[in-house]
Every structure is written in structure tokens, then in C-alpha cells.
Amino acid sequence: MKGDLESGQPTAGLWRRSAAGGRNVALLLTATVLCALWLIVDQGLPSQLQMFTSAPATLSIDHFADRDNTRPWPCDYAVQKSVRERGAMMLHSWSDEELIKRAARAEDILEGLNNSTEASRVLLKIQSVLRCKPNGSQNPKIAFMFLISTGLPLAPVWEKFFQGNEDLYNIYIHGKPDWLRRVGFDVGMGVFWGRVVPSASTQRLAPNIVEAERRLLANALLDDPNNEWFALLSESCIPIQNFHYIYGKMNETSNSRIDSGYFPHSGLAMTRWKARGDTAMLPEVPFSAFRFGSQWFIIRRRHAVAVIRDRKYWPKFRLPCRRLEACVPDEHYIQTLIDNVDEGSCHGSPTFISWNGTTGGHPHSFGVDETTPHLIEAMKTQQEGRYFFARKFKPEALNTLLNMTDLLFR
Ligand SMILES: *[C@@H]1O[C@H](CO)[C@@H](O)[C@H](O)[C@H]1NC(C)=O
Ligand SMILES: *[C@@H]1O[C@H](CO)[C@@H](O)[C@H](O)[C@H]1NC(C)=O
Ligand SMILES: *[C@@H]1O[C@H](CO)[C@@H](O)[C@H](O)[C@H]1NC(C)=O
Ligand SMILES: *[C@@H]1O[C@H](CO)[C@@H](O)[C@H](O)[C@H]1NC(C)=O
Ligand SMILES: *[C@@H]1O[C@H](CO)[C@@H](O)[C@H](O)[C@H]1NC(C)=O
Ligand SMILES: CC(=O)N[C@H]1CO[C@H](CO)[C@@H](O)[C@@H]1O
């Protein structure tokens, strides 16, 4: 299934049970609970729920369309639950450009930058979505954004991590469209069920990895105005601190946690900067503005918003490379953007990675035998507990890790 990205059209599809057999056929439907509710309210209830059981190729929904200004917008917990149970999330078929434009516009309204009459109506809707969140919780939340290829083998570790913190987080998953359609997620995936955002193919080292990151950020921004922190994670990643430790650490500063180094004398940094052409990054991104760091971050809402509002840096970082492996935009783009718009706010990656004895640019992957209490303890206490997450762990390490959750989440 090529062409999702090339055509600029995110996949439309639907998670549903196959009529023929017990197996789940996963088709990806693009929806936010937010948009789904808007759609439902705009078009009447409850017959429109049928929409979630068939798989239209495209849906034309105007996020801000308001066909009946006078109708109150009910906070109907049952409707929300029903939408979730069907696994539908992110019900939209917008191009990336449209998605990002809408997320930026919604943010303008939330921040009071747009106070037109139309905007105040939209704000009322956003606020009633807020009240629609489980029992009206207004807590700041962490958006856990999983950038995966073919599954979440360590999901049971995450389930334990999330347990008891339902009001304090949201989950978003970006996967390989082919795989999602073929296998996908099942209700058995617990908290991960129904959390997939419209996804498109990605290749290692290519700009489309960053497109996936921007897509995750835009969906998470739109989905819940209470999302205050945005963590990017991979399928081989585990949490190595308990939920409250991470929440508390993020809540006590206004900074983001992302690697953003400046290496004025590094040949590699210079090679990467020049990889699109000797002067291709000029004038927007002089070498002195160019930053280098790990892809894995947890950033504040204002920084996530800076990414989707950005029109200065992304057009440069998405330029084609002279050689595919030369640019690595996921190690430069967000790092450069945040450090330039908000200097000194980056404070290093939250994710422990081991480069011990590795080749080919892949970090070390811990197997069963290496996954010992000693290793976990060393990761947890490294640099006074600065790491929240660790990668990479092999799927086989799952049971060993589950056996150690007391230590992991001490
Ligand atoms: C809308 O915002 C502008 C600029 O911030 C301000 O000048 C104007 O008074 C505002 N209008 C209303 C109705 O609040
Ligand atoms: C303000 O928000 C409304 C509703 O989303 C939108 O139609 C309008 O274009 C926005 N105005 C500006 C100046 O962005
Ligand atoms: C987050 O920080 C605010 C302000 O410092 C504080 O009032 C609040 O209790 C903190 N929340 C949590 C869950 O720690
Ligand atoms: C790195 O690998 C070497 C050899 O395999 C091993 O002796 C050493 O303990 C490892 N270091 C870390 C930090 O894992
Ligand atoms: C789990 O821990 C118990 C007791 O410490 C041990 O006997 C068992 O082998 C462990 N299982 C795995 C899969 O590590
Ligand atoms: C924790 C809690 O109070 N949950 C309640 C939230 O609201 C729904 C719907 O009203 C209840 O069913 C839950 O028990």
C-alpha cells in the first residue's frame, strides 16, 4: 500500500471485527475523540455511530464547521465511551498540511490570539470537550506518543506503568499503515486500543520520520488541550521510573527534556549541515544555529506548538539529501527549532540508550540474559535519576521485565 504519503492523504480505514472469523481485521480509521464528538453532534445522534462500523474511503469533516449554532453541545460520556469501544480514534482524513493548520488554529483560540466571533464559538466547543474528559478532569496530562513499526511487544510493562494514573495521561500511536491494516491492535491491547492516529510510511533516516513526529504532535495537541507534556517513545522502549516520578519531575520545571547540542568543531555536524548542499540551509539555519541530539524527547506544550507553527525551519530540514543517510533530520530538526526559539530550555534526552559495542548506527539491544536487576538499577540511578525511559529491549525480555516491575516502578 504505497502512496499514502506521496499523495498527502493519510489513510482512512477502520478497526473492526471481521464478519467472517474470530480474528480482528484492523483497518485504520482516522479520528480524534474530539473530532468524532464534533462530527456526531454536527450530524445528530445516535445513528451516525454506524459510521464507525463501515469503512468509508474518505470523510469530509470540517473541524470547525458549526451547522447549528444554537444547539447545545452535550458532554455525553456514554457517546464518548461508545466511540472509544469501537476503537475509532482520530476520525479525520486531512492531509498533513490541513491537520497542522487546524491544530495551530485551535491553539490560537485556546491562547486567546484569535478572538473573532467564530473563534469564540469554537472555543466553547473545545471547552465542552474538556468537560467531557472522564469526570471533568482538568489535570495537565502527559501525551505518550509511540512511534512504532510493527507492534508494541513490551506493552504489558507500560500497562503496569499506567495503572492508577488514568486522569494524567493520553496515548497516541503511529504505526506502519500496511501492518496496521493487516494485523493492528486488538481490544486485548488494553489502554492501547483505539489510540492509533492516521499514519503513513516512514523510512529510517528520511524526513518522513519527522513528518510522523509532527503528525503525532498535531493529533495530540488537538485531541486534548490538557496535554501539557509530549513524550516520544519507540516500541523497544520501557519506563524505568514510576509514573509519579516522571510527572513530578516534569511538573517542577518549565523546561523540555531533549538533547540539543551545539558542536562547532564536529566534522560530522558540519557534514550533516551541508548534506542538502553546501549552502542549502542558509540563510534560515546558519551552522551556528544547527543542533544535534537524540530523537527521543519529552517536550512542553509550548514547544510542541512551536513545532506545528513552524514555517521557518521545517522547509529547510525537509529538503532532499544528497545521500539518504547524510541528513538524519530526526536528530536535528526539533532540536534546532526548540533551542533557537527558546534558548536554554532543552536539558537533555529523558531516554537512556546504550551504544556499547554497536555498529551501523543502531543502539545496543538488551536481551533476556542482560536484563538483570543490576542493569535496571544502573539505568535508574545514572546521573541522579535523570532518565525516565530506556531502550532498546528485545521482545524476549518481556517476562523478565515484568518480573522486575517492583524495582522498575519503585
Ligand atoms: C481581540 O484581540 C485584539 C488584539 O489582541 C484586541 O485589540 C481586541 O480588543 C480584542 N477584541 C475583543 C472583542 O476582545
Ligand atoms: C479565527 O478562528 C476562526 C475559527 O477557527 C477561523 O475561522 C478564523 O479564520 C480565525 N482567524 C484568524 C485571523 O486566524
Ligand atoms: C504541579 O505543579 C503545581 C505548581 O507548582 C502544583 O500546584 C501541583 O500540585 C503540581 N502537581 C502535581 C501532580 O505534582
Ligand atoms: C560494554 O560491553 C563490554 C563488553 O561486552 C562489557 O564488559 C561492559 O560491561 C559493557 N558496558 C556497559 C556499560 O554495558
Ligand atoms: C521471576 O522471578 C522468580 C523469583 O525471583 C524467578 O524464580 C523466576 O525465574 C523469574 N522469571 C523470569 C521469567 O525471569
Ligand atoms: C473515578 C470516577 O469517579 N469515575 C466515574 C466517572 O464518571 C462516570 C460516568 O458518570 C462514572 O461511571 C465513573 O464511575
Side-chain angles (χ1 to χ4, degrees):
M1 297 299 267
K2 272 189 52 159
D4 301 310
L5 198 57
E6 287 84 335
S7 69
Q9 283 301 313
T11 318
L14 178 70
W15 301 104
R16 63 170 185 197
R17 289 210 169 259
S18 148
R23 276 196 68 84
N24 274 323
V25 174
L27 297 168
L28 178 63
L29 180 57
T30 53
T32 61
V33 170
L34 198 69
C35 309
L37 282 163
W38 261 320
L39 178 74
I40 288 161
V41 170
D42 279 343
Q43 305 199 342
L45 275 174
S47 61
Q48 291 304 320
L49 283 178
Q50 286 167 7
M51 196 167 284
F52 301 118
T53 61
S54 60
T58 55
L59 287 168
S60 158
I61 307 161
D62 186 346
H63 202 88
F64 298 132
D66 193 358
R67 282 166 225 165
D68 183 355
N69 298 341
T70 57
R71 183 160 42 192
W73 202 41
C75 174
D76 191 331
Y77 192 76
V79 169
Q80 201 186 14
K81 192 158 170 288
S82 169
V83 170
R84 282 276 287 117
E85 275 168 3
R86 282 154 208 267
M89 201 216 165
M90 305 298 170
L91 181 64
H92 63 72
S93 56
W94 304 321
S95 65
D96 282 348
E97 194 188 354
E98 187 67 18
L99 168 70
I100 284 165
K101 192 176 85 190
R102 282 166 194 269
R105 214 193 274 164
E107 199 63 25
D108 285 350
I109 297 168
L110 283 167
E111 290 179 16
L113 299 176
N114 176 350
N115 57 7
S116 68
T117 319
E118 177 58 19
S120 13
R121 263 206 308 274
V122 173
L123 183 58
L124 273 178
K125 283 189 172 188
I126 293 173
Q127 284 169 341
S128 50
V129 167
L130 276 177
R131 287 190 288 274
C132 238
K133 292 289 166 181
N135 304 350
S137 154
Q138 297 270 356
N139 296 320
K141 298 193 181 94
I142 306 179
F144 290 87
M145 309 185 304
F146 291 88
L147 182 56
I148 67 170
S149 52
T150 55
L152 269 171
L154 304 173
V157 178
W158 285 99
E159 292 260 3
K160 291 212 166 185
F161 167 80
F162 288 128
Q163 233 163 50
N165 300 296
E166 285 70 23
D167 270 2
L168 301 175
Y169 73 88
N170 285 300
I171 293 171
Y172 306 89
I173 302 165
H174 186 289
K176 276 199 159 64
D178 278 2
W179 180 84
L180 287 167
R181 264 184 228 106
R182 245 184 13 255
V183 185
F185 284 71
D186 193 347
V187 206
M189 291 298 289
V191 296
F192 296 98
W193 164 246
R195 303 306 299 172
V196 175
V197 307
S199 305
S201 314
T202 55
Q203 283 109 29
R204 189 165 168 255
L205 308 174
N208 55 26
I209 300 261
V210 180
E211 280 167 4
E213 293 176 12
R214 285 164 56 88
R215 209 174 285 130
L216 275 164
L217 287 169
N219 278 293
L221 281 165
L222 265 176
D223 177 53
D224 192 339
N226 283 333
N227 282 334
E228 178 56 38
W229 301 281
F230 299 76
L232 184 70
L233 303 151
S234 79
E235 62 205 78
S236 61
C237 191
I238 59 160
I240 53 167
Q241 307 287 356
N242 67 51
F243 191 97
H244 287 281
Y245 181 95
I246 297 172
Y247 193 95
K249 286 273 182 198
M250 291 315 292
N251 190 43
E252 75 190 18
T253 85
S254 66
N255 294 320
S256 284
R257 292 287 310 277
I258 179 169
D259 248 349
S260 182
Y262 173 44
F263 300 100
H265 306 298
S266 155
L268 180 59
M270 180 55 84
T271 304
R272 298 252 183 111
W273 182 74
K274 286 185 172 173
R276 296 161 184 90
D278 285 351
T279 56
M281 300 302 272
L282 293 174
E284 288 84 353
V285 193
F287 184 63
S288 61
F290 191 66
R291 298 288 177 270
F292 201 150
S294 160
Q295 175 186 12
W296 311 103
F297 58 68
I298 175 166
I299 60 176
R300 300 291 304 213
R301 188 173 183 100
R302 70 175 191 282
H303 292 154
V305 170
V307 172
I308 58 142
R309 280 190 181 142
D310 169 41
R311 294 212 189 91
K312 174 175 170 185
Y313 296 93
W314 184 229
K316 289 289 171 172
F317 283 88
R318 72 186 301 190
L319 288 174
C321 255
R322 294 199 279 206
R323 286 178 301 121
L324 175 66
E325 66 281 15
C327 287
V328 200
D330 56 88
E331 290 184 347
H332 300 279
Y333 164 61
I334 296 182
Q335 295 80 344
T336 298
L337 171 73
I338 296 181
D339 199 44
N340 279 276
V341 300
D342 195 359
E343 200 186 334
S345 64
C346 288
H347 295 252
S349 176
T351 305
F352 179 98
I353 294 175
S354 167
W355 294 99
N356 198 9
T358 60
T359 51
H362 291 283
H364 183 70
S365 198
F366 295 101
V368 178
D369 294 341
E370 294 164 289
T371 305
T372 60
H374 179 74
L375 175 75
I376 302 296
E377 189 67 42
M379 288 173 167
K380 280 174 86 78
T381 52
Q382 181 119 166
Q383 294 179 48
E384 293 168 354
R386 68 168 286 109
Y387 292 111
F388 301 161
F389 314 109
R391 68 193 291 271
K392 303 167 80 165
F393 282 88
K394 295 196 168 118
E396 305 86 86
L398 174 64
N399 286 335
T400 314
L401 287 166
L402 281 175
N403 222 9
M404 285 198 266
T405 47
D406 285 351
L407 171 60
L408 277 172
F409 306 140
R410 182 179 62 206

